[in-house]
């Protein structure tokens, strides 16, 4: 299985809602990532988990809360978001932890989030 | 600080012609270089990478890239473009201990 899956594909939420994005991989990868991507722009790194521990938080607002329950799963909990948070949220994974810079990242199809 | 530049916002090429998407990088140590492609409403797909060794790297879907250390470039090439190659292409670089840095992206449009 060489896939990263993400659910849901689309999500519309109000500014007072709480929702979660889910990501799963079964490639045995030990690094997992959350990116935010605006249209026609490069992905912006949000969080990195390496061996289930948070290793990078790119100064992301606390209304985004990541969680890594086990080596195959990654969640992103959303609360009190703003309309400017509307974007494509991409999950990715790579082998052997984040410290190995030569491992390519495998991306999921993303969740298209709209905040009203 | 490391950076990646893709000087062209858009590249237009006719089907069957060769294509080149340009990328230059700036890293302080040994560079690890990647190309990804993104089709509309999809995630990024890995095409190829340069770690070390042969300067010509071959990847998926007939793409290749040439690493040039003196020009700090890593241009993506394909001998014969297909309409289905039309997509957004990202060059990315990484060095030890840092996160992956993406270029701004280049839209490739292949006309029939």
């Amino acid at each position: 299985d060489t896939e990263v899956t993400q659910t849901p594909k689309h999500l519309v939420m109000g500014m007072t809602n709480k929702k979660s994005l889910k990501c799963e991989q079964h490639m045995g990868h030990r690094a997992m990532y959350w990116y935010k991507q605006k249209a026609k722009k490069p992905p912006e790194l949000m969080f990195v988990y390496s061996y289930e521990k948070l290793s990078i938080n790119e100064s992301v607002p606390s209304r985004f809360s990541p969680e890594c329950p086990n080596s195959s799963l990654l969640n992103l909990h959303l609360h009190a978001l703003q309309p400017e948070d509307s974007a494509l949220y991409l999950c990715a994974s790579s082998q052997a932890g984040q410290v190995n810079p030569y491992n390519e990242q495998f991306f999921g199809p993303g969740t298209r989030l709209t905040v009203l | 600080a490391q950076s990646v530049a893709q000087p062209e916002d858009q590249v237009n090429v006719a089907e069957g012609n060769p294509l080149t998407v340009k990328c230059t990088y700036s890293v302080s140590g040994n560079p690890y270089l990647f190309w990804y492609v993104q089709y509309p409403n999809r995630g990024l797909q890995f095409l190829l990478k340069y770690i070390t060794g042969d300067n010509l790297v071959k990847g998926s879907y007939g793409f290749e890239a040439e690493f040039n250390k003196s020009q700090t470039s890593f241009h993506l090439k394909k001998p014969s473009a297909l309409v289905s190659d039309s997509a957004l292409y990202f060059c990315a670089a990484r060095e030890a201990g840092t996160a992956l840095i993406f270029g701004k992206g280049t839209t490739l449009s292949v006309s029939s």
Side-chain angles (χ1 to χ4, degrees), chain B residues 4 9 15 33 39 49-50 56 63 80 100-101 109-110:
Chain B
V4 176
D9 290 335
E15 188 173 33
L33 302 166
Y39 297 98
K49 67 180 177 183
Y50 172 82
L56 186 64
F63 284 94
S80 178
L100 190 63
I101 298 297
S109 178
V110 182

Side-chain angles (χ1 to χ4, degrees), chain B residues 88-109:
Chain B
L88 181 58
Y89 289 80
F90 290 104
C91 181
R94 193 171 182 186
E95 53 184 324
T98 69
L100 190 63
I101 298 297
F102 289 93
K104 66 179 181 179
T106 298
T107 298
L108 174 66
S109 178

Side-chain angles (χ1 to χ4, degrees), chain A residues 20-94:
Chain A
S20 296
L21 309 184
K22 295 185 185 301
C23 173
E24 191 166 4
Q25 58 87 13
H26 294 287
M27 294 179 278
H29 290 173
R30 303 310 300 272
M32 296 186 77
Y33 310 77
W34 279 116
Y35 289 89
K36 173 184 177 181
Q37 186 183 27
K38 293 281 198 179
K40 304 279 190 182
K41 298 293 185 183
E44 301 170 25
L45 183 65
M46 300 175 71
F47 302 104
V48 181
Y49 275 83
S50 184
Y51 295 94
E52 296 98 69
K53 290 194 165 100
L54 183 65
S55 63
I56 294 180
N57 176 342
E58 291 286 353
S59 302
V60 178
S62 60
R63 57 185 184 268
F64 296 91
S65 175
E67 179 195 20
C68 189
N70 60 55
S71 60
S72 300
L73 292 174
L74 187 66
N75 298 321
L76 186 63
H77 303 297
L78 314 173
H79 174 55
L81 294 192
Q82 304 297 310
E84 59 266 27
D85 296 322
S86 298
L88 181 68
Y89 287 83
L90 294 166
C91 174
S93 69
S94 64

